[in-house]
Amino acid sequence: NQPITGENWYDDDVAEAFEQTSKVIPQLKEDEGLRVVMTALAGVTSPGTRAAQNWKNAASVMEEYLETGQISGRNPVNGKFFGGTRGPIIEKQLKLVEYLLDSKGVQGTADWLMQEHTVKELTDLRQQSGLYSSGNKVPGKANDVRLGPYLFGEKVGPFILNLNGLKETTADVWFTRTYNRLTGQLFDTPDNSMAGAPRNQS
């Protein structure tokens, strides 16, 4: 008898997803740190992918990590990129998760992700990983404080937090298009295509 608002999606459906996945990967039920890492894998493999396939992709990466201790950055099933044209970015972010796991361990990674850090600390970690150029910075002022998942950006970061029950607005392509539609700016792009990304940080 409740209105269909999507309000409980992150609470109910994510809990169900973990319940089902733990039948295949029982460590997810036993290890809270691993559960948080699973949400990071789901976050970084999410761009351009529908929810059900996204979760399957994340589970396959988790299985790869548990079996080999490594994350290849590609689909372990076929060796191809995840996410089509977004594949190289997803690969880099998966390798960033691997860097966290290698340097902090599973529980250390989970703790780090759920803690606050300055934007400078997040940017520094990107640079330390060796995966990003010196010009690639986390958006914001150096002393702004953000939770760890913002290491992965303005869309993926909030999504990871949502998967952990922390209510952040995930500014994905649908959020952006809705905003631009309501403000009459949906096609305010150089080639008159639909705006799918924020124009700037503010």
Side-chain angles (χ1 to χ4, degrees):
N1 294 324
Q2 296 299 310
I4 301 172
T5 64
E7 186 176 3
N8 294 323
W9 187 87
Y10 285 105
D11 299 327
D12 299 341
D13 287 13
V14 172
E16 177 65 15
F18 271 111
E19 182 66 29
Q20 295 299 322
T21 309
S22 66
K23 294 176 182 177
V24 181
I25 309 174
Q27 298 96 316
L28 290 173
K29 206 165 194 174
E30 304 158 1
D31 187 332
E32 174 62 14
L34 207 61
R35 187 200 63 76
V36 173
V37 171
M38 177 69 180
T39 65
L41 296 177
V44 301
T45 56
S46 67
T49 308
R50 292 183 179 274
Q53 186 60 51
N54 174 206
W55 196 259
K56 289 178 185 176
N57 292 347
S60 70
V61 175
M62 176 58 76
E63 288 181 310
E64 176 189 40
Y65 175 71
L66 291 172
E67 289 170 9
T68 68
Q70 297 179 316
I71 296 174
S72 65
R74 307 270 180 114
N75 187 331
V77 176
N78 57 26
K80 295 181 179 179
F81 280 130
F82 286 116
T85 58
R86 298 173 176 91
I89 296 169
I90 292 172
E91 180 182 38
K92 186 179 287 190
Q93 292 205 327
L94 283 170
K95 297 303 285 183
L96 187 55
V97 174
E98 182 185 48
Y99 175 79
L100 287 171
L101 290 166
D102 287 347
S103 58
K104 301 178 186 306
V106 170
Q107 190 59 52
T109 296
D111 292 342
W112 189 91
L113 286 170
M114 294 298 106
Q115 291 167 355
E116 291 183 333
H117 309 274
T118 65
V119 165
K120 182 181 185 308
E121 289 171 337
L122 296 174
T123 296
D124 287 349
L125 193 140
R126 273 191 186 178
Q127 307 306 317
Q128 291 160 13
S129 73
L131 296 164
Y132 294 84
S133 67
S134 58
N136 189 295
K137 299 181 178 181
V138 174
K141 297 176 183 173
N143 292 323
D144 288 350
V145 175
R146 314 293 291 275
L147 286 164
Y150 278 92
L151 176 72
F152 301 104
E154 298 295 304
K155 187 270 181 188
V156 170
F159 182 49
I160 294 170
L161 292 172
N162 292 157
L163 292 174
N164 284 284
L166 299 171
K167 307 303 182 193
E168 290 279 328
T169 299
T170 303
D172 60 9
V173 65
W174 305 112
F175 171 98
T176 304
R177 285 178 179 167
T178 298
Y179 177 86
N180 284 316
R181 187 166 50 249
L182 292 171
T183 58
Q185 299 174 304
L186 184 57
F187 294 97
D188 284 4
T189 59
D191 61 358
N192 293 318
S193 61
M194 267 196 282
R199 284 174 288 284
N200 54 51
Q201 175 60 19
S202 60

